[in-house]
Amino acid sequence: MKPKTLLKLLLSGVALLTLVAAAAFLWISSRGISARAEPGRIETAVARTMRGLAVPRRDRTRKNPIAVTPEVLAAGMAHFADHCAACHANDGSGETAIGLGLYPKPPDMRLPATQSLTDGELFYIIENGVRLTGMPAWGDGTKESAEASWHLVHFIRKLPTLTPEELQQMQGMNPRSPDEVRQELEEQRFLEGGDAAPPKPSAPKHVHGR
Ligand code: HEC
């Protein structure tokens, strides 16, 4: 090939790339980068397939090694209410202020898309998290952490059939600020016939509460 032709080819390549980059920039800047948006069906399907493929085969086919007992489910429930409900909600719907503001959002874990994942896949996701999403890795490589994650796998299987009583029980296990605990104690004292009316919380109620 003549040097002149090569130069022409190179220049048109650069021009094409610049055009594509400019179009992509215009497309993104016209839509913004809001995390409030909902990923499209294709994006979700591709991301889930890629994530599935990223779980090593050996891990995917693992069965929960811990037998399900009331104690195991209770431990899973307490752990979920404490560490997971901020994003996933006590009922697994993902409808919390944080969950709804993430991109991608935590899925409704009661639905078949999550329930059809294998024990091994659920365990792997809990232990290792999901890159480029809000889902953190919880495992630290210890036996204790693995045990806690298997408890959570059992609890996730129970999400579709949680009773209103169990959900109420979980509300009592959700993390609370010292101010909220103080106010609850004061309210209890007031209701039991104490003198002082419950004080207002010292921090003003913030507007981001949903
Ligand atoms: C900071 C927010 C956040 C917290 C806290 C969190 N998660 Fe997640 N989780 C997410 C997001 C976002 C996704 C979706 C990831 C994706 O799209 O692949 C997710 C996905 C998952 C999935 C995969 C479900 C599916 O069908 O794709 C499981 C299982 C899961 N989380 C379990 C847990 C458990 C158990 C805990 C607590 C130990 C927890 N998560 C804590 C944000 C969170």
Side-chain angles (χ1 to χ4, degrees):
M1 208 185 284
K2 282 191 217 148
K4 220 171 168 185
T5 326
L6 191 68
L7 190 70
K8 252 194 204 160
L9 213 66
L10 214 69
L11 280 178
S12 41
V14 170
L16 190 71
L17 276 179
T18 315
L19 219 70
V20 170
F25 175 77
L26 280 178
W27 186 66
I28 290 171
S29 63
S30 71
R31 292 163 45 108
I33 50 157
S34 171
R36 221 171 289 116
E38 202 63 72
R41 258 196 232 187
I42 297 176
E43 189 176 334
T44 304
V46 170
R48 286 190 80 88
T49 310
M50 296 285 284
R51 197 188 66 188
L53 291 173
V55 178
R57 225 175 108 81
R58 196 165 33 91
D59 292 286
R60 204 177 320 149
T61 50
R62 288 177 82 183
K63 288 253 173 310
N64 199 330
I66 296 179
V68 61
T69 63
E71 291 73 35
V72 161
L73 280 176
M77 177 196 269
H79 192 162
F80 195 90
D82 195 20
H83 283 156
C84 321
C87 292
H88 287 286
N90 286 331
D91 61 3
S93 65
E95 284 173 14
T96 70
I98 296 180
L100 292 171
L102 288 171
Y103 186 100
K105 296 171 207 338
D108 186 337
M109 296 210 280
R110 300 167 298 187
L111 300 181
T114 301
Q115 295 297 324
S116 64
L117 294 174
T118 63
D119 286 356
E121 277 174 313
L122 291 174
F123 176 81
Y124 189 89
I125 290 170
I126 298 168
E127 284 276 298
N128 300 290
V130 185
R131 266 193 212 182
L132 303 183
T133 78
M135 175 60 188
W138 297 92
D140 60 9
T142 61
K143 206 172 122 264
E144 290 73 29
S145 127
E147 221 163 72
S149 297
W150 286 121
H151 292 170
L152 285 164
V153 171
H154 276 311
F155 180 71
I156 289 172
R157 299 285 184 218
K158 194 180 152 55
L159 285 172
T161 57
L162 278 180
T163 63
E165 291 75 37
E166 284 166 329
L167 285 169
Q168 202 175 0
Q169 203 183 335
M170 289 178 83
Q171 274 177 19
M173 301 169 174
N174 291 142
R176 265 168 292 178
S177 70
D179 228 23
E180 285 170 306
V181 174
R182 202 173 315 129
Q183 209 198 356
E184 268 172 39
L185 283 174
E186 295 287 352
E187 265 165 10
Q188 206 177 344
R189 208 174 305 155
F190 179 65
L191 289 174
E192 282 166 3
D195 37 14
K200 293 271 166 286
S202 56
K205 195 156 174 51
H206 37 258
V207 291
H208 275 155
R210 241 186 265 239

